[in-house]
Amino acid sequence: MGEAGGSQGGGDGEHEYLPRLELDQLLDELKVRIDAARGTQDRIHSLLEAVLSVGRELDLPHVLRRIVESAVLLVDAEYGALGVVEGDRLSEFLTVGVTEEEVREIGPLPSGHGILGELIRHPVPLRLDEIADHPASYGFPPHHPPMRSFLGVPIRVREEVFGNLYLTEKRGGRAFDAEDETVLNTLAVAAGVAIENARLYKAARDRQRWMEANADIVAALLSGADEMEVLERIVRHARTIAKADLGVVGLPAGDGVNLQVMIAIGIDADDHHGLVLPREGSFMGAAMSAGKPISTPEIRKDPRLTAGPPRFSGLGPTVAVPMVTDEGTRGAVLLARKEHTPPFTEAETTPLLAFAGQAALALQLAERRRSAEQLAVLEDRDRIARDLHDLAIQRLFATGMTLQSAVRFVEHPEARERLLRAVDDLDETIKIIRSTIFGLRAKEADQRPQGLRARSAAAVEQAAGPLGFTPVLHMEGLLDTDVPSATADDAVAVLTEALSNAARHAGASAVEVTLVVAEGWLTVSVTDNGRGIPEKAPRSGLRNLAARAGRLGGRFEAGPGPQGGTRLAWCVPIDVR
């Protein structure tokens, strides 16, 4: 009984122990599941916080930075990066976990080769326990931190792949698992929404800034501001809104084959300002020929840039926009950013085309304003010339005739002499007024002077520098109408040579120039009060003047002036038929 009882008792203890053991196991399993559930709940909470954090940002660079930082925390990775995809390459690369010093030692940021390029070519999640085992991997550059585990997922904005999230080195030496991939995919979806919102916000903000800039330019145009001032405003606004480091405006020079850089603002602007570049072989010329914006991620490697000195050091992404109006292309605006910065997007270049049209409009308005002002001046000159001819000359002529007819009634010799002198003075005054009328009716001032009067005046003004004073100029007769163009060319050459001789050899303090057309002859005379012509001085220049006169059937005289110095007289016949 005792044994039986003992055995009975032992059996009860064993039955009590087994349920207790099962209960402990159940409790332990329950604890594990609770911890797992709590961990999952914490991770879900962290994911929700990350989504909310990313969604709160509206500035695109801040959004991208926040996405990478959140991804690193969610999957417990040591390193993270976000690559913005442009075509088949990475145009932007943001990193977390790598110090600035390490970035400098590694060198240029990746452009999309190896494992990073695998996600560009195949935008689906990629999870690796060992990066080196993948066929697309070909190692890391020098000074790059060691990395083994890898997890990458694409970020889509609507149906477009915006970029990729790259996570490496899960802490504790572990590998990324399916749950990490799920969490990162969820964050990528939220990131796509946040990026789209940031893009829309940036587009709206840029639109407002372009409108404000347009209003400023229109106000400047309506106020009659100088076109160079307006162009400078346009470049400054464009640089600020497009976040460019250099802004340049090039306008056609000469016959339009070349471009001249009229305005340059920003990095190394002095290397660009004033440059004259051929349209063929310059980036701005390529945009003018295309008639639309053109861009490049690396300006110094672009095949369209073949002319001009090296001038884009340290610059990379560049866009050139033609300045187009209904009358044609009037130039181009160029914007450039520093190396390793995002390229210009279509959303940035589209409003820039309309803004460059404002620059073309400024040039067009300035040209028409100058034409209107010039027309007003010419009309005023024509009116003055007409009034002088119809009123002043006729009255002076009538007065002279009256005085001349009154001479026969005057018996006193001195009085008669004074009357005749007054008549001569009136004739001389009439000649001066007629000369003034011809000058007023000369061609437009901004064109190359074609008439003998204008060309002679220009030669005299040009001689003022070497002489140290301005010569006195007298012109009489129909110099512009009666003198043939070939004879006028010779006359200007003679005048230029005579003034040059006076500046180099005469040592004069006064020079008088006279051009007279009378009785079928043109006379050009230059008189100075200098030291005269030395006996042994070389006379090759004077022989040239004499040869010109002889070829035209005229004569040339060189001798002392009426008050000392030298007088050169060049006389040739003219055909006035």
Side-chain angles (χ1 to χ4, degrees):
M1 289 292 294
E3 289 181 3
S7 175
Q8 177 93 29
D12 290 342
E14 184 177 352
H15 285 302
E16 290 176 3
Y17 174 76
L18 288 175
R20 189 179 300 115
L21 181 60
E22 292 175 359
L23 180 60
D24 289 342
Q25 290 175 342
L26 289 174
L27 290 174
D28 291 340
E29 183 178 350
L30 180 60
K31 183 179 179 183
V32 169
R33 292 189 178 185
I34 291 173
D35 291 340
R38 185 180 294 115
T40 302
Q41 184 179 4
D42 291 342
R43 199 165 196 185
I44 292 173
H45 182 70
S46 299
L47 178 60
L48 291 174
E49 284 187 347
V51 169
L52 292 174
S53 175
V54 168
R56 277 196 294 265
E57 294 286 351
L58 286 175
D59 185 66
L60 186 57
H62 291 168
V63 169
L64 301 181
R65 173 65 59 181
R66 186 61 63 88
I67 290 170
V68 185
E69 293 172 346
S70 300
V72 168
L73 292 175
L74 283 173
V75 299
D76 200 20
E78 189 170 350
Y79 304 105
L82 190 153
V84 179
V85 176
E86 188 76 26
D88 59 350
R89 64 189 298 274
L90 294 175
S91 62
E92 194 173 353
F93 198 74
L94 290 81
T95 61
V96 170
V98 182
T99 65
E100 293 184 3
E101 183 178 353
E102 288 175 326
V103 170
R104 285 193 299 270
E105 290 179 348
I106 292 171
L109 295 175
S111 57
H113 301 290
I115 296 296
L116 302 186
E118 187 69 18
L119 257 72
I120 299 176
R121 295 183 292 271
H122 308 288
V124 293
L126 177 63
R127 180 158 43 96
L128 303 172
D129 294 340
E130 185 64 54
I131 295 177
D133 293 341
H134 195 277
S137 175
Y138 55 79
F140 297 102
H143 309 291
H144 196 285
M147 296 179 181
R148 297 182 59 189
S149 55
F150 175 88
L151 176 59
V153 297
I155 298 175
R156 298 179 185 272
V157 177
R158 297 181 180 174
E159 295 304 316
E160 169 197 359
V161 175
F162 175 84
N164 297 311
L165 267 175
Y166 307 106
L167 285 305
T168 61
E169 283 299 284
K170 188 174 179 70
R171 297 184 188 277
R174 295 170 293 162
F176 294 104
D177 55 23
E179 189 175 339
D180 293 326
E181 183 178 326
T182 302
V183 169
L184 206 57
N185 273 322
T186 306
L187 179 64
V189 172
V193 175
I195 290 170
E196 176 68 4
N197 289 339
R199 278 180 165 182
L200 293 174
Y201 172 74
K202 182 179 183 299
R205 185 180 58 182
D206 288 348
R207 221 172 9 249
Q208 180 182 357
R209 297 175 74 183
W210 283 119
M211 290 174 62
E212 292 172 352
N214 278 327
D216 179 57
I217 299 305
V218 170
L221 291 173
L222 293 178
S223 67
D226 179 74
E227 68 265 32
M228 288 299 114
E229 178 187 342
V230 175
L231 289 178
E232 185 173 337
R233 287 195 191 190
I234 287 172
V235 174
R236 293 190 183 280
H237 282 305
R239 276 190 66 225
T240 301
I241 299 173
K243 293 182 174 62
D245 298 292
L246 173 69
V248 170
V249 169
L251 304 180
D255 56 1
V257 176
N258 295 325
L259 283 175
Q260 183 171 9
V261 177
M262 305 302 296
I263 294 175
I265 302 173
I267 291 178
D268 296 331
D270 293 339
D271 294 343
H272 299 263
H273 193 274
L275 278 180
V276 177
L277 305 167
R279 284 184 59 170
E280 190 71 29
S282 66
F283 202 66
M284 288 186 290
M288 292 175 64
S289 299
K292 61 182 181 180
I294 61 173
S295 61
T296 178
E298 296 181 81
I299 180 63
R300 287 183 293 173
K301 296 181 180 179
D302 194 278
R304 291 166 289 193
L305 182 67
T306 59
R311 58 194 183 278
F312 289 103
S313 177
L315 296 173
T318 304
V319 61
V321 183
M323 296 156 48
V324 182
T325 65
D326 53 355
E327 297 181 358
T329 304
R330 292 180 169 266
V333 177
L334 180 144
L335 298 176
R337 290 171 177 162
K338 292 180 181 178
E339 287 180 312
H340 312 307
T341 55
F344 291 92
T345 64
E346 185 178 353
E348 291 172 320
T349 57
T350 299
L352 188 58
L353 180 61
F355 198 60
Q358 295 278 13
L361 180 61
L363 296 175
Q364 187 174 343
L365 288 178
E367 184 178 300
R368 291 183 177 178
R369 187 161 53 239
R370 281 194 300 269
S371 298
E373 291 171 354
Q374 187 178 24
L375 181 61
V377 170
L378 293 176
E379 288 177 348
D380 198 40
R381 286 181 179 180
D382 191 58
R383 179 187 58 78
I384 294 171
R386 191 168 55 249
D387 290 347
L388 286 173
H389 182 273
D390 295 344
L391 300 176
I393 287 181
Q394 299 303 326
R395 295 192 66 174
L396 288 173
F397 185 76
T399 302
M401 293 290 292
T402 301
L403 291 175
Q404 195 170 15
S405 64
V407 170
R408 66 178 183 271
F409 300 113
V410 178
E411 297 181 356
H412 195 282
E414 186 175 348
R416 288 170 61 88
E417 182 183 355
R418 289 186 178 183
L419 282 174
L420 291 173
R421 193 183 306 134
V423 172
D424 291 340
D425 288 344
L426 286 173
D427 287 340
E428 186 66 25
T429 302
I430 289 172
K431 290 180 181 179
I432 293 173
I433 293 175
R434 280 178 173 165
S435 177
T436 304
I437 291 172
F438 291 132
L440 288 172
R441 287 176 174 172
K443 292 186 178 182
E444 292 82 355
D446 61 341
Q447 295 180 348
R448 182 170 178 253
Q450 300 294 328
L452 180 55
R453 285 178 175 275
R455 295 172 66 184
S456 300
V460 169
E461 290 179 5
Q462 191 173 2
L467 286 168
F469 57 87
T470 302
V472 177
L473 176 62
H474 298 287
M475 292 184 285
E476 296 180 15
L478 303 177
L479 293 171
D480 290 339
T481 57
D482 285 359
V483 180
S485 59
T487 304
D489 291 341
D490 280 325
V492 173
V494 167
L495 178 58
T496 303
E497 176 69 19
L499 290 170
S500 176
N501 288 339
R504 288 182 294 171
H505 308 301
S509 60
V511 175
E512 183 176 348
V513 177
T514 303
L515 286 87
V516 178
V517 169
E519 299 179 356
W521 285 79
L522 167 65
T523 301
V524 178
S525 65
V526 178
T527 306
D528 64 65
N529 64 349
R531 62 176 66 97
I533 302 176
E535 290 293 332
K536 298 182 180 180
R539 303 205 170 220
S540 57
L542 298 181
R543 283 196 295 270
N544 291 337
L545 300 184
R548 286 181 181 274
R551 189 172 64 251
L552 296 174
R555 62 183 182 273
F556 172 71
E557 299 174 356
Q563 299 178 351
T566 304
R567 180 178 184 273
L568 306 179
W570 188 81
C571 303
V572 294
I574 55 174
D575 186 1
V576 295
R577 289 178 298 172

